[in-house]
Amino acid sequence: MAQTRSRIAFHDLQPDAGSFLEEVLAGLSGAQKALSPKYFYDARGCELFDAICGLAEYYPTRTEMAMMQECAPEMAMRLGPDCVLIEYGSGTSRKTRVLIAELEPCAYMPVDIAGGQLKVSAMELEAAFPRLKIIAVCADYSRLLTLPEIDTVGARRRVIYFPGSTIGNFTAPEARLFLQNARALAGAEGAMLVGVDLKKDSALLHAAYNDAQGITAEFNLNLLARINRELGANFDLSAFRHRAFYNAGAGRIEMHLESLRTQRVTLGGRSFDFRSGETIHTENSYKYSVSEFQQLARSAGFEPSACWTDPQQWFAVHLLTASR
Ligand code: AVJ
């Protein structure tokens, strides 16, 4: 019988439960309570986010997917042969498939904080691309400065794919630092493909984060359910509601969880008081015009070398190359 060898390597660099607790305690201790959106993605959170991506109101996923189907050949041509494709926040790797088919990278390195989904997606990808070498890394990419096995793949060029406008989770200074780190990791010949949601009519933005079915609300509230499950907190989910709005001055959607009454929550031997109407800030989703994002990229040591947008000007994909 023919021997089958898996071409998937899996590295677990995931932050431990202790750092989750510490971050949650610190986040609930400030004047404006806040939690990091990276903690949305437990198994239920991944499921809910996938459902969001299919919502009629949530235009980014299908818009960027259509752009990839149309523009991936040109992207691949510009990037050239013998690339290693690194993806931050790979999720289901659905958009990446289009790019992989055109680019034919010598290896694909998906990086995601959600280990379960990462494993499943890597196996599905292996079935779809039998010759592709896959090195999956479970990690918080916002803190990643090196990648395991990267020197063994023999690539001419490192390409970091960061679709979905996930970069919008960072404030401008955080995004600059993140891009600088990505620039350092990608090296001299490095390139980056970044999907960025464009500024647009605020009613459209509002609808995308306040869907009629309430899936986004469930996604937001699942963060409290996760903290109850994993950290033994006692959040009463019926006493919080989802709030999302466009903050035009800051150029971002903000998601919050609003306390519907005065209440006290206990967690890790500490207690946290909420006033009625007080919120926990759970996510920023910054929107950038093409020139705003290009300026940010330049400030981080990248040269904007191409940019694609959809016909409605809702979404942009930027190709950045390392400037010397
Ligand atoms: C995955 C961060 C790009 O900000 O649009 C979707 C997450 N939050 N609906 C976004 C999200 C609420 C999404 N990103």
Side-chain angles (χ1 to χ4, degrees):
M1 208 177 96
Q3 179 120 8
T4 54
R5 259 182 67 228
S6 173
R7 281 158 300 93
I8 307 177
F10 189 84
H11 296 268
D12 191 356
L13 312 175
Q14 208 186 7
D16 55 25
S19 62
F20 181 28
L21 176 62
E22 268 172 47
E23 273 198 58
V24 171
L25 291 175
L28 295 178
S29 302
Q32 167 66 68
K33 294 179 172 69
L35 294 168
S36 168
K38 71 187 177 200
Y39 292 119
F40 281 136
Y41 302 94
D42 67 349
R44 180 69 184 139
C46 289
E47 223 171 76
L48 288 165
F49 182 67
D50 270 1
I52 288 172
C53 291
L55 290 170
E57 297 97 328
Y58 196 71
Y59 62 85
T61 310
R62 63 169 182 280
T63 306
E64 189 180 21
M65 185 67 179
M67 290 172 68
M68 293 310 289
Q69 278 157 346
E70 194 184 318
C71 307
E74 192 192 338
M75 293 171 183
M77 194 196 68
R78 285 175 180 267
L79 290 167
D82 305 318
C83 294
V84 54
L85 184 64
I86 301 154
E87 179 172 11
Y88 287 166
S90 49
T92 59
S93 298
R94 225 168 278 141
K95 284 168 285 214
T96 325
R97 286 177 179 230
V98 185
L99 187 60
I100 289 171
E102 296 295 333
L103 189 62
E104 300 185 337
C106 51
Y108 171 54
M109 304 187 68
V111 181
D112 205 290
I113 199 164
Q117 179 175 253
L118 180 65
K119 275 187 184 145
V120 171
S121 304
M123 288 189 298
E124 287 172 357
L125 211 68
E126 182 188 40
F129 298 96
R131 292 198 316 266
L132 182 63
K133 181 178 173 63
I134 301 172
I135 305 165
V137 182
C138 181
D140 172 3
Y141 59 76
S142 68
R143 295 177 178 176
L144 207 62
L145 299 174
T146 56
L147 278 170
E149 290 193 60
I150 183 103
D151 290 318
T152 69
V153 298
R156 179 189 57 88
R157 175 174 231 189
R158 296 177 181 179
V159 178
I160 299 176
Y161 185 43
F162 194 39
S165 200
T166 310
I167 196 155
N169 276 168
F170 297 125
T171 63
E174 288 166 352
R176 182 171 306 114
L177 184 63
F178 164 77
L179 288 171
Q180 281 167 344
N181 289 339
R183 161 77 180 78
L185 193 137
E189 298 300 318
M192 198 165 180
L193 269 175
V194 192
V196 182
D197 199 14
L198 290 165
K199 286 201 160 82
K200 62 181 63 63
D201 175 52
S202 63
L204 230 109
L205 285 170
H206 184 89
Y209 294 85
N210 290 279
D211 64 279
Q213 283 182 68
I215 309 284
T216 308
E218 213 183 319
F219 174 70
N220 200 2
L221 282 159
N222 178 59
L223 186 49
L224 301 184
R226 177 183 188 181
I227 293 169
N228 284 349
R229 278 193 298 268
E230 293 184 24
L231 303 177
N234 64 347
F235 281 102
D236 175 358
L237 266 64
S238 70
F240 286 87
R241 75 165 180 123
H242 165 73
R243 273 198 65 204
F245 56 88
Y246 186 59
N247 177 339
R252 70 190 191 203
I253 287 278
E254 291 183 21
M255 289 214 312
H256 295 255
L257 289 162
E258 181 185 341
S259 175
L260 297 174
R261 53 174 165 83
T262 304
Q263 55 183 320
R264 173 168 292 177
V265 174
T266 59
L267 159 61
R270 289 178 52 188
S271 61
F272 298 93
D273 288 317
F274 289 82
R275 300 181 307 274
S276 178
E278 184 177 359
T279 71
I280 308 173
H281 187 181
T282 53
E283 186 167 51
N284 286 321
S285 193
Y286 281 82
K287 312 301 171 186
Y288 292 94
S289 71
V290 167
S291 61
E292 281 171 341
F293 188 76
Q294 288 179 334
Q295 197 184 329
L296 177 68
R298 279 196 194 93
S299 78
F302 277 112
E303 190 56 47
S305 76
C307 175
W308 296 266
T309 58
D310 63 295
Q312 309 197 80
Q313 305 290 305
W314 283 352
F315 204 90
V317 179
H318 291 263
L319 173 60
L320 312 176
T321 50
S323 52
R324 301 161 222 213

